[in-house]
Amino acid sequence: MPNRPTEPPDDPDQQLGDAIRRLRKKRGLTLVQLAGSAGLSHPFLSQLERGLTRPSMPSLHRIAQALGTTQQALLAHSATSPADIHVVREGTGTPVANSGGSARMLGAPQFAVHPVEYTGGPTDFEEYYDHPGDEFLYVVHGAIEVDLLGPDGRELHRLSAGDSLLYPGGTPHRWRVLTEDQDILGVRVLAVQNAPRQNAEPGATGQ
């Protein structure tokens, strides 16, 4: 009797763990080597690959950098929708812990953009992020302050509901929630990073 193809896991944590394991093995890295490069513990990465824990956005950023890819690419490749149309319902999508709130991936690997919805966020600036793809931010609700390290130095931009911001790939950036008279968890931000279609595999940044 022929073997049936393995069905993708339904658990989003396991999907993300599988995506990280696949790329780690493709890079020829052991868990210990990846942990050292990412500045994370070996036991944590082992649990992450087995879907037993969930990374924070900063931890996922360090893992992605060590693997030569981006957070959004890893999250997109944890999706299991090969169809031409990708629907994400309220309360679904690959979830990731984020300081002061949460994030969820809304995209899939076959598309040229990687959208992520943030609910809440840090109230103080944390580490800078940077990635090859251009990025678009749109504030759905609440207010945030974005810190960019541009060619002319540091730039601070305050964005309220309905405001948006675009910046080129390679720009170090970070943002924080402005807490004046607002509920932190009520803040919602949509971030969309471009990912050229030829970069079908995480890590193919074109650099």
Side-chain angles (χ1 to χ4, degrees):
M1 191 173 179
N3 292 329
R4 293 183 179 180
T6 302
E7 292 293 329
D10 293 327
D11 180 10
D13 292 338
Q14 184 61 68
Q15 293 169 10
L16 179 58
D18 288 348
I20 292 170
R21 181 189 298 108
R22 285 195 302 270
L23 187 54
R24 173 178 64 79
K25 290 184 175 181
K26 183 176 181 180
R27 297 287 186 265
L29 297 173
T30 66
L31 273 171
V32 173
Q33 289 171 327
L34 178 57
S37 297
L40 299 168
S41 74
H42 172 205
F44 170 75
L45 279 179
S46 177
Q47 288 189 330
L48 177 57
E49 287 194 356
R50 289 181 288 151
L52 301 178
T53 190
R54 183 177 298 171
S56 65
M57 290 299 278
S59 294
L60 191 60
H61 177 63
R62 291 194 287 272
I63 293 168
Q65 284 194 317
L67 291 172
T69 186
T70 67
Q71 301 158 293
Q72 287 86 347
L74 284 176
L75 288 168
H77 277 262
S78 70
T80 57
S81 172
D84 291 336
I85 305 299
H86 181 65
V87 177
V88 180
R89 301 296 183 187
E90 176 69 25
T92 65
T94 304
V96 182
N98 189 45
S99 298
S102 62
R104 65 181 183 126
M105 181 66 198
L106 306 177
Q110 67 269 29
F111 295 98
V113 292
H114 290 156
V116 179
E117 179 194 55
Y118 293 89
T119 299
T123 56
D124 295 310
F125 285 129
E126 298 182 342
E127 61 188 274
Y128 284 100
Y129 294 84
D130 66 86
H131 42 71
D134 300 339
E135 190 160 58
F136 169 79
L137 292 181
Y138 178 78
V139 180
V140 180
H141 190 270
I144 64 173
E145 186 175 38
V146 184
D147 180 7
L148 303 177
L149 290 181
D152 299 322
R154 186 181 183 192
E155 300 178 12
L156 294 175
H157 300 272
R158 179 181 176 130
L159 304 178
S160 299
D163 293 341
S164 65
L165 179 67
L166 270 168
Y167 42 86
T171 302
H173 57 278
R174 58 186 181 176
W175 59 270
R176 63 172 181 162
V177 169
L178 296 176
T179 59
E180 306 161 2
D181 301 321
Q182 69 172 330
D183 174 16
I184 293 175
L185 291 179
V187 174
R188 296 179 72 183
V189 177
L190 177 65
V192 182
Q193 183 187 128
N194 79 311
R197 289 184 186 274
Q198 61 267 30
N199 298 344
E201 183 69 27
T205 60
Q207 290 188 325

